[in-house]
């Protein structure tokens, strides 16, 4: 018998864990990651989410922003615990690896970096829009976008429409082991 159930995401995991908790008497920790909070505008989803959260022995969230959203669903205490980073891995890139990234993308000036899933909620469209203003003032600045997702094609079209094809590069998905060189190369 486990001592505790740790459910990541309010729905469906948190709700399912709440049921198991009631049946087996095992306490539940629910961790919300933002993406599971903001789509909860539907009355039924908010009700089920409230049950999941109010049944939890503890609630954690990844940011103060997520905490404010979860606090609208429950009055229970909420702890902010940011997601961890492997510092050894992300500080392991050499200067040569960083130089290779800059060379690969023909970066002559500053390198701006985005790493993440290309989904609407990430707001990459705003980053690209802002890049238009940056490129006018500093044409040597390059934005490298590492990641993939459902918004990739619309974002690539936005880059074309704004005439930013020499300022914005889509690098595709990157493995965790390859990301440190991108971070090291970024300004």
């Amino acid at each position: 018998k486990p001592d505790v159930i740790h459910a990541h995401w309010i729905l469906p995991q948190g709700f399912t864990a709440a049921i198991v908790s009631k049946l087996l008497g095992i306490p539940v920790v629910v961790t919300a990651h933002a993406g599971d909070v903001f789509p909860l505008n539907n009355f039924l989803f908010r009700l089920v989410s409230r049950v999941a959260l109010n049944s939890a022995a503890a609630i954690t969230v990844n940011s103060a922003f997520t905490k404010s959203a979860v606090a609208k669903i429950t009055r229970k205490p909420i702890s902010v615990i940011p997601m961890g980073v492997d510092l050894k891995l992300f500080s392991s890139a050499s200067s040569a690896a960083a130089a290779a990234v800059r060379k690969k993308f023909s970066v002559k000036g500053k390198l701006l970096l985005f790493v993440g899933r290309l989904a609407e909620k990430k707001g990459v469209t705003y980053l690209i829009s802002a890049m238009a203003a940056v490129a006018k003032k500093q044409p040597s600045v390059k934005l490298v976008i590492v990641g993939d997702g459902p918004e990739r094609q619309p974002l690539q079209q936005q880059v074309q429409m704004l005439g930013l094809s020499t300022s914005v590069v889509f690098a595709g998905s990157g493995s965790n082991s390859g990301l440190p060189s991108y971070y090291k190369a970024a300004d």
Side-chain angles (χ1 to χ4, degrees), residues 24-82:
L24 302 178
I26 301 169
V28 173
V29 174
V30 175
T31 295
H33 294 272
D36 55 337
V37 180
F38 298 104
L40 299 177
N41 295 331
N42 174 293
F43 173 77
L44 180 61
F45 285 156
R46 285 184 74 78
L47 179 66
V48 174
S49 295
R50 188 171 288 114
V51 168
L53 293 168
N54 288 340
S55 300
I59 302 167
T60 67
V61 296
N62 60 355
S63 68
F65 185 69
T66 305
K67 180 180 180 176
S68 67
V70 171
K72 293 176 184 173
I73 301 170
T74 185
R75 293 177 189 219
K76 291 191 81 158
I78 302 164
S79 299
V80 176
I81 304 175

Side-chain angles (χ1 to χ4, degrees), residues 51-138:
V51 168
L53 293 168
N54 288 340
S55 300
I59 302 167
T60 67
V61 296
N62 60 355
S63 68
F65 185 69
T66 305
K67 180 180 180 176
S68 67
V70 171
K72 293 176 184 173
I73 301 170
T74 185
R75 293 177 189 219
K76 291 191 81 158
I78 302 164
S79 299
V80 176
I81 304 175
M83 297 294 115
V85 171
D86 182 344
L87 294 177
K88 186 176 179 183
L89 171 67
F90 280 89
S91 62
S92 67
S94 67
S95 295
V101 167
R102 295 178 75 84
K103 183 177 180 181
K104 179 179 180 180
F105 299 112
S106 303
V107 179
K108 305 291 185 226
K110 301 282 187 186
L111 187 154
L112 303 179
L113 178 66
F114 171 87
V115 177
R117 187 164 180 269
L118 301 182
E120 183 180 3
K121 67 183 173 185
K122 299 292 185 175
V124 181
T125 187
Y126 304 111
L127 178 58
I128 292 170
S129 293
M131 192 59 195
V134 170
K136 281 183 186 174
K137 290 186 178 183
Q138 295 192 25

Side-chain angles (χ1 to χ4, degrees), residues 8 10 13 15 29 64 75-76 106 158 162 165-166 176 179:
H8 286 262
I10 299 169
Q13 293 90 329
F15 182 70
V29 174
R75 293 177 189 219
K76 291 191 81 158
S106 303
Q158 179 185 9
L162 293 172
S165 58
T166 59
N176 267 358
L179 291 177

Side-chain angles (χ1 to χ4, degrees), residues 140-184:
S140 65
V141 173
K142 193 162 279 198
L143 169 62
V144 176
I145 298 174
V146 179
D148 210 344
E151 290 295 305
R152 182 175 179 150
Q153 186 175 5
L155 293 170
Q156 287 175 320
Q157 290 171 344
Q158 179 185 9
V159 166
Q160 291 298 322
M161 186 186 78
L162 293 172
L164 294 173
S165 58
T166 59
S167 300
V168 179
V169 176
F170 289 85
S173 295
S175 66
N176 267 358
S177 62
L179 291 177
S181 58
Y182 282 95
Y183 285 107
K184 178 95 171 175

